[in-house]
Amino acid sequence: MIKKIFDKLFEYLLAFFSFITFLIMICIFVFLIREALIIFEYQTGITNIFYSWDKFGILSFEWNPASKTPKYSIIPLVVNSFKVAFIALAFSIPIAFFTSIYTSQYVSLKVRFWIKTVLEFISSIPSVVLAFFGFVIFSEILGYIFSFEFKLNGFIAGITLGFGIFPSVYTIYEDFLYSIPKDYKEASYALGANKIQTIIKVIIPFSLQGLLVAVLLGFNRAIGETMIVMMLGGNIPILSYNLFDPVLTLSGTISGEMGEVIFGDIHYSILFILGIILFFITFLFNMLTLILMRSIKKRYNFI
Amino acid sequence: MNKIKFFSIILFISFFIIIFLFFWDSNFFVIRKKITIKGSETILALNYQWSRYYTKKNPEVSIEITGGGSGVGISSIINRIVSIASSSRRIRKSEIKRIKKMGKTVKEVVIALDSIIIYVNKSNPINTITLNQLQEIYLGKIQNWKEVGGKDEKINLYGRESSSGTYGFFKKKVLNKEDYYNRVISLAGNATIINAIRKDEKGIGYASFSMVKDIKKLAIKVKNKEIYPSEKFIKNKKYPLIRNLYYYFIVEDLKNEFYVFDYINWIKTKKAQSFCIRTGYFPVNIV
């Protein structure tokens, strides 16, 4: 009897805990939307969060909440967010790609274990520490090499961010490469191909989907990252396609301005709209990776 | 089956322990006078100094301090989360309106003076600057150090994030409410700005008074008189860039918490004000 009761209670406890996370998720979303809807109490119009007309009647995309007539265009923030994320990816993908091919195909198990452990250790460094490291070292070295116009800019932020996300891209892609069935490789060897030919013609084409999954997850981490971009990005909301200009990203704006803003103000609700946009971007990319993973599982029956 | 039973018992026990620890507090059974302060990050260090001294003198009082920003602090007293909000900016009209709508009145206390100091790199040859020059630099009209008597180099501008109290103060006092040039790199916090300028030879920035040695504080020229950011000039209010730091509280909410007023009254005393200089601020009562 007691056994049965305990059994049932245990089940309920587990159900309770798994339900809590679900509930918190819904609460967060409801909260975000509720605070964002404050914007409709003001007669500024929802189009103001995309563009505004400046005093000469020219279309302008400007983020300047402290101006006499506040301008809340989110376009530069979104563009800057993507810009930094792409710099980070451009830096981290090649490194992760070559490292994972090396550790999965060339080295012994022992060496692979050590390289993997060290790289996974990098991914556990808090982003504040990494940001400070970038602030002291990367900005000096890169500033010396490139002699930037700005001491802190999107390029430095992107490189440091790339350094932060590269271990996670590496781990996912390396696991994928490592779990490719031996039959494929051996079939290639049997046909007379050497190691390089096997890697280029068999392994890499086979693993492209795995690379895409790794890159998408890396992108998700890069676009939500706050501390590195805030400390190194320079935080100027200018709309430019120059990689060496300072950037102000979505997450940087939220964490930088939330503390001092007037609660219930239009600026406050727009910060929540930024949060919703960020939420949707990461949600979209998460869904994409999930779909990809499922298709991989179906097709190859491994991982 | 035995294993499941064992684990479920452990889980239950640990669950209750966690809940117990959650609600248990060192002063759970002792009725203590608790003061909670929330708000500006700038005033945080000063608040800690005060609370450490005050609770040592009055052991029945405990003071809880959290940062988060001036806006967070003021919205917290409106929502009755804390008893005092510390703020580096004046309360806005819209916030007062919200409090009045609830039928309450908010009170303001000036707790210390903060000076905004213009910092440049140690290697920069210039020593003084006028407010007019400063305005033109931050509006982007002057872009070379040569025009204010320095080397032939571009000026790199540093400032605070747009919602901070310092940003608003500088905009009002120096820029005459015009918009900043859109090439001002904005950084969070005084320490970050000072660190950035320490490394940037072409940099200029504004931040609160700091004890850091290897950085140059510019004197401000007012009517052909150089005013250095020294204690003497700031105490005399000769230095042009001085602002107040505030405590805000709602009188109606503190009816049963009279000891909060004791604390606020104590802050105005000479002893409490002497803590200001140690943390980079200046006392109010010596004017």
Side-chain angles (χ1 to χ4, degrees):
Chain A
M1 190 60 204
I2 290 173
K3 235 183 219 173
K4 246 185 182 173
I5 291 173
F6 262 116
D7 231 28
K8 259 285 174 272
L9 275 176
F10 186 61
E11 195 191 322
Y12 285 144
L13 191 72
L14 293 183
F16 172 69
F17 277 117
S18 40
F19 187 67
I20 272 185
T21 43
F22 189 68
L23 205 74
I24 289 173
M25 186 67 205
I26 290 176
C27 283
I28 289 174
F29 199 67
V30 168
F31 174 68
L32 273 180
I33 291 199
R34 198 194 69 185
E35 300 298 306
L37 285 180
I38 293 174
I39 195 176
F40 289 109
E41 290 175 15
Y42 295 87
Q43 261 91 40
T44 44
I46 196 80
T47 54
N48 265 15
I49 67 168
F50 297 110
Y51 61 85
S52 59
W53 305 97
D54 65 5
K55 54 190 169 185
F56 306 113
I58 302 165
L59 190 69
S60 78
F61 302 105
E62 204 182 327
W63 172 267
N64 194 350
S67 174
K68 251 183 229 161
T69 48
K71 300 178 189 85
Y72 298 110
S73 173
I74 58 170
I75 307 284
L77 306 181
V78 175
V79 168
N80 282 338
S81 269
F82 276 92
K83 199 163 88 177
V84 175
F86 280 125
I87 295 168
L89 286 182
F91 176 72
S92 61
I93 290 172
I95 303 179
F97 181 73
F98 291 120
T99 322
S100 43
I101 283 177
Y102 178 66
T103 52
S104 67
Q105 305 297 329
Y106 282 91
V107 298
S108 66
L109 268 178
K110 213 173 174 183
V111 178
R112 173 177 183 257
F113 170 78
W114 280 111
I115 293 180
K116 260 197 115 158
T117 316
V118 169
L119 287 182
E120 271 157 22
F121 177 72
I122 290 180
S123 74
S124 69
I125 296 175
S127 61
V128 187
V129 176
L130 208 60
F132 201 74
F133 176 75
F135 191 73
V136 176
I137 296 186
F138 278 156
S139 72
E140 287 293 297
I141 295 172
L142 292 175
Y144 186 74
I145 297 170
F146 292 99
S147 59
F148 298 127
E149 191 189 349
F150 296 98
K151 201 106 188 167
L152 299 171
N153 56 45
F155 187 71
I156 294 171
I159 298 279
T160 316
L161 196 52
F163 191 69
I165 63 169
F166 131 76
S168 53
V169 177
Y170 161 81
T171 320
I172 295 162
Y173 186 49
E174 211 269 350
D175 281 343
F176 191 92
L177 280 178
Y178 195 74
S179 57
I180 289 176
K182 266 207 173 124
D183 318 5
Y184 289 79
K185 243 168 38 180
E186 275 160 9
S188 169
Y189 287 142
L191 289 172
N194 59 17
K195 199 156 192 174
I196 275 239
Q197 283 169 330
T198 308
I199 288 172
I200 292 173
K201 298 268 170 157
V202 179
I203 305 275
I204 291 174
F206 190 84
S207 68
L208 277 183
Q209 265 187 332
L211 184 64
L212 197 57
V213 169
V215 166
L216 284 177
L217 283 177
F219 178 83
N220 243 348
R221 266 201 69 182
I223 209 151
E225 178 56 56
T226 312
M227 214 52 219
I228 293 175
V229 182
M230 242 178 90
M231 275 180 77
L232 300 171
N235 300 329
I236 305 181
I238 37 180
L239 186 65
S240 82
Y241 301 96
N242 185 354
L243 297 182
F244 301 109
D245 273 344
V247 292
L248 179 64
T249 61
L250 288 170
S251 53
T253 314
I254 295 171
S255 71
E257 300 185 356
M258 187 53 91
E260 306 278 340
V261 84
I262 300 164
F263 278 57
D265 196 41
I266 185 164
H267 187 186
Y268 173 81
S269 77
I270 281 172
L271 290 182
F272 277 89
I273 290 176
L274 295 185
I276 290 175
I277 289 168
L278 206 58
F279 185 87
F280 268 110
I281 291 172
T282 39
F283 182 75
L284 201 80
F285 280 89
N286 257 333
M287 284 309 281
L288 220 67
T289 37
L290 272 180
I291 291 167
L292 258 174
M293 289 280 259
R294 200 160 289 172
S295 86
I296 290 172
K297 257 182 201 166
K298 246 188 205 163
R299 245 163 92 188
Y300 303 117
N301 241 337
F302 73 90
I303 293 181
Chain B
M1 221 48 209
N2 223 359
K3 245 184 189 169
I4 289 180
K5 192 175 151 192
F6 178 69
F7 274 119
S8 58
I9 289 173
I10 286 189
L11 244 172
F12 263 110
I13 293 172
S14 56
F15 182 67
F16 283 116
I17 289 175
I18 288 170
I19 286 189
F20 182 69
L21 285 176
F22 213 76
F23 291 105
W24 188 73
D25 200 300
S26 60
N27 48 20
F28 188 73
F29 300 105
V30 190
I31 300 167
R32 269 198 159 187
K33 297 170 177 175
K34 199 164 166 188
I35 304 174
T36 44
I37 305 173
K38 196 180 177 78
S40 173
E41 303 273 350
T42 357
I43 312 172
L44 213 56
L46 187 57
N47 272 336
Y48 277 130
Q49 295 256 357
W50 277 337
S51 80
R52 205 183 298 159
Y53 187 83
Y54 191 76
T55 47
K56 214 179 262 172
K57 282 276 147 105
N58 307 289
E60 77 281 2
V61 178
S62 71
I63 301 180
E64 217 177 86
I65 297 160
T66 32
S70 308
V72 175
I74 289 172
S75 93
S76 301
I77 54 165
I78 294 173
N79 297 329
R80 296 198 65 171
I81 297 168
V82 297
S83 35
I84 301 175
S86 58
S87 173
S88 61
R89 63 163 164 83
R90 231 179 160 163
I91 192 165
R92 297 282 157 79
K93 269 180 198 154
S94 62
E95 285 162 336
I96 294 177
K97 221 183 257 169
R98 266 178 78 191
I99 296 169
K100 268 189 185 158
K101 230 185 239 170
M102 295 158 72
K104 293 170 179 173
T105 45
V106 66
K107 257 202 156 175
E108 174 186 285
V109 176
V110 179
I111 53 165
L113 298 179
D114 183 23
S115 54
I116 305 297
I117 297 200
I118 313 300
Y119 291 100
V120 292
N121 192 275
K122 213 171 55 174
S123 67
N124 201 320
I126 71 167
N127 290 316
T128 57
I129 198 160
T130 64
L131 283 178
N132 210 3
Q133 281 172 334
L134 210 55
Q135 182 192 11
E136 286 186 341
I137 286 174
Y138 271 90
L139 291 178
K141 287 172 188 161
I142 294 178
Q143 299 200 8
N144 198 310
W145 279 113
K146 209 167 62 179
E147 292 173 57
V148 289
K151 294 175 199 161
D152 186 10
E153 277 174 338
K154 209 185 130 271
I155 299 176
N156 286 344
L157 301 163
Y158 292 91
R160 291 291 300 274
E161 70 272 27
S162 62
S163 53
S164 88
T166 319
Y167 178 99
F169 175 80
F170 195 82
K171 185 172 174 176
K172 198 170 138 198
K173 270 277 162 99
V174 179
L175 302 188
N176 293 328
K177 293 188 179 173
E178 283 181 69
D179 283 357
Y180 283 84
Y181 184 42
N182 70 353
R183 299 280 148 149
V184 184
I185 288 186
S186 71
L187 297 170
N190 291 322
T192 0
I193 286 184
I194 288 168
N195 257 327
I197 294 164
R198 251 154 117 189
K199 284 195 287 173
D200 192 345
E201 286 167 13
K202 306 171 206 166
I204 185 170
Y206 55 86
S208 290
F209 187 85
S210 155
M211 299 291 181
V212 177
K213 286 266 160 61
D214 56 345
I215 188 166
K216 198 185 255 182
K217 295 168 184 150
L218 286 189
I220 292 180
K221 216 178 201 174
V222 182
K223 290 173 193 161
N224 289 326
K225 214 175 151 194
E226 289 171 1
I227 299 177
Y228 287 92
S230 63
E231 259 177 56
K232 196 181 112 200
F233 282 125
I234 292 168
K235 271 186 199 165
N236 296 340
K237 288 205 169 179
K238 283 263 172 64
Y239 190 75
L241 302 176
I242 298 178
R243 62 170 175 166
N244 297 333
L245 300 177
Y246 304 97
Y247 269 176
Y248 286 102
F249 54 93
I250 293 177
V251 186
E252 283 82 354
D253 290 348
L254 298 180
K255 257 178 193 159
N256 302 323
E257 302 173 30
F258 56 94
Y259 48 87
V260 175
F261 295 111
D262 292 343
Y263 174 68
I264 291 168
N265 284 333
W266 174 77
I267 275 170
K268 293 174 189 163
T269 62
K270 214 165 190 176
K271 177 70 201 165
Q273 289 293 322
S274 71
F275 283 97
C276 293
I277 293 170
R278 272 186 236 174
T279 40
Y281 301 110
F282 297 92
V284 197
N285 54 346
I286 309 165
V287 177

